[in-house]
Amino acid sequence: MDASLSTIILAAGRGSRMKSDLPKVLHQILGIPMIELVTEKVSQVGSDDLTLVLGHGADQVQRALGETSIRSAIQDPQRGTADAVLAALLQQPPVHPDVLVVNGDLPDLDLELLTRFVADHRSGGAAFSVASARVADPQGMGRIVRNDRGDFVAIVEQQDADEDVGRIDEVNLGLYMLQVDTLLPLLEEMVSQDLSVADPAAESYLTRVVEVMVQKSLSVAAIPVAADRQFLQVNDRRGLARVSRVFQDRLQEQLLDAGVTIVDPLTTWIELGVEIGSDTVIHPQTVIRRGVQVGRHCEIGPFAHLRGGTVIEDDVKVGDFVEINRSHLECGVRAKHLAYLGDARVGSGANIGAGAVIANYDGTHKSSTVIGERAFIGSGSVIVAPGEIGSDAVVGAGAVVPPGKIVEPGTVVIGVPARKLNQNKTRS
Ligand code: UD1
Ligand code: MG
């Protein structure tokens, strides 16, 4: 971490290419809003002074971030990336003279690249540096224009590029370093000039500051930061899907390397923060949501859906068309066919029969259910929460256990509503 660095994240834009009511930075990559991914990476390089520029959907973004030490600046209306940086510099004056500026739609930043960029900027000594890269498909990105001597003289946006410029494959990645003392007066002048035109939709681009600085003989640099690497930004839903796929492949590779079998990676979707123990097998068409924990030697799927807040201990089998929501399954539990378990704690060795439902929602409230060790929950039964099924108890096929009913350990209940069967335990 570089504590002598201030950071500005630009996240005020309308994101109109997303065609969404949701601000672009709240769209999720594998269960995590993009803005969380960006702030997390960026705080690793300059965590002690971070300002987020918000505008479109600012309230929504602030709510999503919750309690945070990140400061925010409001850009309203949103009139371009230079205007956004200026809003941050004026509303939240940076603590440090060096500022890293990051576009908020770059969820795939890596710490090493950021660190190297900051170091190269400092050793180069320019007042404004842009991170650049040669990419296979430069379409849609600002092109780095150099003169015959190779000096960086401008960034030309896609819509302003002629055929020659369009062929340039060195692009602006949307990461910048600036020295506040030099850039603040420059941006004030440039933005007021750009926005003084009659067109209310006019924008002031941060990228234009390069040619302004070159004219004034101020030092600018385009620093190539990486070769052989794909750079992913999210401007539209295609970008979101592409970035999500890259993250998914990477996450699955980590799990595979850690000893998890994923039978068909292409039809399996696992969100970020999921932990899975070795020798667990994930069958096709399985979805595992953010933060779920799965132990060792489990079998999950095909067609299983493990939702947030779920913990699955070792040797558990969750079969086809089983949905598990905010539940804890202890070792050796079986729920092999067509079941729904919501807000349940299921004791070790318990068996959840085909089509059983643990109904956690009464239309207003959600309640919990506890199922004891080795309990046997019959096919097609419904346990309406709050529920308590004792250890070694049996719920007969098709029974409905009403809310609040306690099924004593070792007893058998059957029927609708479920009542105690006057005989020793039988397994159906
Ligand atoms: C921008 C760059 C382009 C670069 C690309 C890399 C400009 C003008 N162009 O284009 O050279 O190759 O990023 O990803 O900067 N934003 C605001 N306020 C605004 C407008 C935008 O905060 O008024 C924010 C957006 O929320 C976004 C970021 O700035 O996070 C970049 O804006 P975006 O519209 O995505 O710019 P690009 O077209 O991708
Ligand atoms: Mg963008």
Side-chain angles (χ1 to χ4, degrees):
M1 189 190 90
D2 186 339
S4 60
L5 187 69
S6 290
T7 303
I8 296 172
I9 299 177
L10 305 183
R14 281 185 303 277
S16 47
R17 288 166 283 183
M18 294 296 287
K19 300 194 171 64
S20 176
D21 292 336
L22 196 66
K24 177 162 77 173
V25 292
L26 290 187
H27 281 265
Q28 297 189 351
I29 313 272
L30 309 195
I32 303 205
M34 201 153 51
I35 192 66
E36 270 187 46
L37 295 169
V38 178
T39 49
E40 189 195 316
K41 270 287 155 354
V42 151
S43 34
Q44 293 168 359
V45 257
S47 68
D48 77 334
D49 178 31
L50 180 56
T51 297
L52 201 56
V53 186
L54 299 176
H56 178 76
D59 290 352
Q60 269 174 288
V61 179
Q62 265 160 339
R63 238 176 294 129
L65 285 173
E67 280 292 306
T68 170
S69 61
I70 301 171
R71 307 191 291 171
S72 47
I74 300 294
Q75 184 203 19
D76 188 19
Q78 295 81 49
R79 302 202 63 184
T81 41
D83 181 52
V85 173
L86 186 58
L89 297 179
L90 294 175
Q91 293 172 38
Q92 301 288 0
V95 173
H96 306 290
D98 270 354
V99 177
L100 170 69
V101 176
V102 180
N103 284 356
D105 60 356
L106 306 174
D108 192 29
L109 294 172
D110 79 68
L111 183 59
E112 197 220 314
L113 182 149
L114 286 171
T115 312
R116 198 150 25 85
F117 174 54
V118 173
D120 286 358
H121 160 79
R122 286 186 169 149
S123 61
F128 185 71
S129 298
V130 177
S132 78
R134 290 189 183 284
V135 294
D137 179 14
Q139 189 65 21
M141 304 196 71
R143 307 298 206 283
I144 301 292
V145 178
R146 296 178 183 272
N147 64 16
D148 296 343
R149 291 201 307 275
D151 300 331
F152 173 40
V153 291
I155 297 174
V156 175
E157 292 302 318
Q158 176 72 42
Q159 70 269 22
D160 303 321
D162 60 21
E163 228 172 278
D164 284 346
V165 170
R167 274 195 286 272
I168 296 174
D169 65 353
E170 187 181 6
V171 298
N172 165 26
L173 295 179
L175 291 176
Y176 315 86
M177 281 293 297
L178 58 84
Q179 289 173 7
V180 181
D181 288 354
T182 311
L183 265 291
L184 179 58
L186 270 177
L187 287 175
E188 282 183 306
E189 190 188 324
M190 185 185 91
V191 170
S192 79
Q193 200 180 28
D194 288 350
L195 302 185
S196 65
V197 296
D199 179 6
E203 294 196 356
S204 183
Y205 293 160
L206 181 58
T207 45
R208 198 174 85 77
V209 84
V210 174
E211 62 191 63
V212 170
M213 292 179 74
V214 168
Q215 264 163 25
K216 294 183 191 281
S217 302
L218 292 164
S219 55
V220 292
I223 301 176
V225 287
D228 304 328
R229 187 185 185 285
Q230 202 183 356
F231 282 93
L232 301 159
Q233 65 163 322
V234 176
N235 283 328
D236 52 22
R237 307 275 181 159
R238 289 183 186 212
L240 186 68
R242 263 195 293 268
V243 173
S244 300
R245 182 79 252 167
V246 168
F247 272 60
Q248 181 62 209
D249 292 347
R250 214 181 276 156
L251 186 150
Q252 289 194 12
E253 274 162 19
Q254 284 164 6
L255 291 170
L256 294 167
D257 290 347
V260 176
T261 292
I262 300 174
V263 175
D264 183 9
L266 283 179
T267 64
T268 302
W269 197 256
I270 304 174
E271 292 188 341
L272 290 165
V274 167
E275 288 170 27
I276 304 180
S278 60
D279 284 324
T280 282
V281 178
I282 310 293
H283 292 284
Q285 308 288 353
T286 291
V287 175
I288 306 181
R289 309 298 291 271
R290 176 179 181 178
V292 167
Q293 292 173 37
V294 180
R296 304 184 61 204
H297 299 282
C298 295
E299 264 193 70
I300 310 292
F303 297 96
H305 186 188
L306 308 183
R307 294 175 57 194
T310 291
V311 175
I312 290 182
E313 296 185 8
D314 297 346
D315 302 305
V316 167
K317 287 194 183 356
V318 173
D320 42 290
F321 303 103
V322 174
E323 175 180 344
I324 302 187
N325 190 17
R326 280 192 310 274
S327 292
H328 187 131
L329 275 53
E330 294 177 6
C331 290
V333 167
R334 304 256 177 293
K336 294 187 64 172
H337 332 268
L338 302 159
Y340 171 73
L341 281 69
D343 291 305
R345 170 111 198 177
V346 185
S348 60
N351 187 89
I352 311 292
V357 170
I358 300 181
N360 57 329
Y361 184 52
D362 63 9
T364 318
H365 301 103
K366 289 186 173 143
S367 310
S368 313
T369 293
V370 179
I371 294 176
E373 296 178 2
R374 297 172 303 280
F376 187 89
I377 310 301
S379 296
S381 61
V382 180
I383 297 166
V384 184
E388 189 179 324
I389 311 294
S391 54
D392 298 297
V394 174
V395 174
V400 174
V401 181
K405 182 173 172 72
I406 295 174
V407 175
E408 301 292 342
T411 61
V412 180
V413 293
I414 58 166
V416 181
R419 61 197 182 281
K420 192 168 164 186
L421 184 70
N422 245 349
Q423 63 178 70
N424 289 335
K425 188 173 86 172
T426 51
R427 301 223 154 194
S428 53

